[in-house]
Amino acid sequence: MYNQERKQQFITDRKHAGKEVKSFESLFKLTSSVEEHYKLDLAELSPSEIIEIYRKSKIVNVRAAGNALSKIRQYQKWCISQEISTEVTALEVKPEDICAVNFTWIKSPKDLAERLDRELRPDKDFTIDILIKLNYWCAFAGIPRDQRELLKTEDVMLEPCIVHYEKNYYTFPRQAKKVLELSVRMSTFNRQFGVDKKLTAFKRKDSPYLFRSIRCDHLDVEPIQTGLRKEKRLQSLTYNDVYNSGIYYRIYIDGLSDDKKDINFRAIARSELSKKYKKRTDVTHFLDEYQASIEEGYKKWYTHFYE
């Protein structure tokens, strides 16, 4: 507990007032690493530093996030009453800012590559983790979820790092090239067995599909990812989160090349929907709602990473 004497006094005052204290004790344990890092008490942390506390949190909904912020504000107000500090900085933090979903956004291809390399096995081990990485790169490149398992090795152009499916061409960033190349060319995957965790090679399915595994033509990586999350080897990145981040990143990069050009969210929404729906009536039906969703999401994403 950082600044223990002050916080113990706060807890003692609450006890004397007949108020609950256990949740505050848990809060102070949670905040201590960030306080120690900045050498500042929770009462002096800025809004961005408060958000940092929850970067690895398990807060998954706005109500729980609101409760957490309420406790920080109560402590900060107590510090003001004791003439220790002068501001309730937590008032500037919204519950949405500290929800776990906020940390599933991807800033850039470099960001995604670093997260995947940090959380999954290295490519040199030649394990099934390569297909899990490929799954996220497909999302970032903008390939709809229901099309990813239908991709064939012949759809991949390695040198320009482009995947062609039906009428669409998807450009993969250079950070994805190694994973894409291994997914195409590898004939085996390694698995660990025994006490010594020795890697043993198993032949991949003889199939034209890119997501072929040892046993099947179209590997569904979702159950594997769920298992990895339970083992705490993988954070809660979802296909949809990374897919949306890819849309926002492309909008951002397009704006850098021509900063005077207005963002045509309607054209972007129409293009995205056209990949998922073959009927023009379906595209038109969802267009307004999807356009609004992209606009709102992009503004939050841009504010979070680039403002």
Side-chain angles (χ1 to χ4, degrees):
M1 188 184 295
Y2 185 83
N3 218 345
Q4 186 167 353
E5 186 176 340
R6 181 190 298 185
K7 290 188 173 71
Q8 286 292 356
Q9 185 58 53
F10 170 77
I11 288 170
T12 299
D13 285 1
R14 284 189 65 85
K15 284 181 178 177
H16 289 162
K19 296 178 180 178
E20 182 270 338
V21 298
K22 192 171 182 180
S23 64
F24 284 89
E25 291 171 344
S26 298
L27 170 68
F28 296 147
K29 286 180 183 178
L30 176 67
T31 63
S32 60
S33 61
V34 172
E35 292 174 286
E36 186 66 46
H37 176 76
Y38 289 104
K39 303 300 179 187
L40 292 171
D41 186 77
L42 181 56
E44 285 84 47
L45 291 181
S46 69
S48 63
E49 289 160 354
I50 291 172
I51 291 172
E52 189 173 334
I53 292 167
Y54 292 94
R55 229 166 246 291
K56 294 182 179 179
S57 76
K58 300 295 183 182
I59 296 181
V60 295
N61 61 62
V62 173
R63 178 180 294 181
N67 288 338
L69 286 174
S70 174
K71 288 178 173 52
I72 295 177
R73 290 165 186 163
Q74 288 178 60
Y75 173 71
Q76 289 185 334
K77 287 176 182 177
W78 177 86
C79 288
I80 291 173
S81 73
Q82 302 297 306
E83 298 183 349
I84 297 170
S85 61
T86 59
E87 255 187 298
V88 182
T89 56
L91 287 172
E92 298 177 47
V93 182
K94 301 188 295 293
E96 293 86 353
D97 294 334
I98 63 170
C99 282
V101 68
N102 194 38
F103 306 117
T104 60
W105 281 335
I106 298 298
K107 179 180 181 180
S108 63
K110 181 176 180 289
D111 179 29
L112 179 57
E114 288 174 351
R115 290 183 66 168
L116 295 178
D117 287 344
R118 185 170 60 247
E119 296 176 18
L120 295 168
R121 295 188 189 281
D123 297 341
K124 64 181 177 63
D125 284 355
F126 305 123
T127 67
I128 202 76
D129 285 23
I130 288 169
L131 291 188
I132 298 174
K133 292 181 181 181
L134 176 65
N135 177 60
Y136 286 123
W137 284 120
C138 285
F140 195 80
I143 300 175
R145 184 201 300 264
D146 60 349
Q147 296 176 15
R148 114 202 108 166
E149 292 172 13
L150 303 178
L151 297 174
K152 295 182 178 180
T153 54
E154 65 185 24
D155 298 327
V156 181
M157 294 178 278
L158 285 173
E159 196 46 50
C161 221
I162 290 175
V163 173
H164 172 223
Y165 183 78
E166 294 184 339
K167 296 180 180 179
N168 298 301
Y169 289 82
Y170 301 97
T171 301
F172 282 59
R174 61 178 177 78
Q175 291 88 345
K177 186 174 182 179
K178 183 67 174 178
V179 168
L180 199 56
E181 184 177 2
L182 289 172
S183 300
V184 169
R185 294 179 173 170
M186 281 176 55
S187 59
T188 62
F189 276 133
N190 288 332
R191 296 180 63 184
Q192 281 188 330
F193 286 98
V195 178
D196 59 355
K197 302 290 185 182
K198 184 180 179 181
L199 290 170
T200 305
F202 289 84
K203 192 175 186 303
R204 290 176 80 184
K205 189 91 169 177
D206 185 14
S207 165
Y209 292 99
L210 191 59
F211 275 88
R212 67 195 185 281
S213 67
I214 296 167
R215 294 192 180 94
C216 58
D217 292 331
H218 313 283
L219 177 69
D220 181 4
V221 298
E222 301 291 344
I224 299 173
Q225 290 171 185
T226 301
L228 292 175
R229 291 188 195 108
K230 288 180 180 178
E231 295 173 14
K232 302 191 184 305
R233 280 184 53 207
L234 187 67
Q235 292 182 6
S236 55
L237 279 178
T238 69
Y239 198 89
N240 193 54
D241 293 328
V242 180
Y243 186 97
N244 288 335
S245 294
I247 294 174
Y248 306 148
Y249 180 74
R250 288 188 289 277
I251 294 172
Y252 171 69
I253 291 299
D254 190 46
L256 289 181
S257 63
D258 186 355
D259 59 3
K260 294 180 181 179
K261 184 174 71 174
D262 291 334
I263 300 172
N264 190 340
F265 285 106
R266 194 159 192 83
I268 294 166
R270 188 182 296 278
S271 174
E272 290 296 326
L273 289 171
S274 295
K275 294 188 295 189
K276 301 176 182 180
Y277 300 103
K278 297 186 183 298
K279 293 182 180 179
R280 185 176 295 179
T281 52
D282 289 337
V283 172
T284 304
H285 177 73
F286 293 108
L287 188 56
D288 288 342
E289 182 181 353
Y290 195 54
Q291 177 186 343
S293 173
I294 291 177
E295 282 194 56
E296 181 182 0
Y298 176 70
K299 288 171 184 173
K300 289 181 178 179
W301 177 90
Y302 179 82
T303 300
H304 184 68
F305 289 120
Y306 291 102
E307 269 198 351

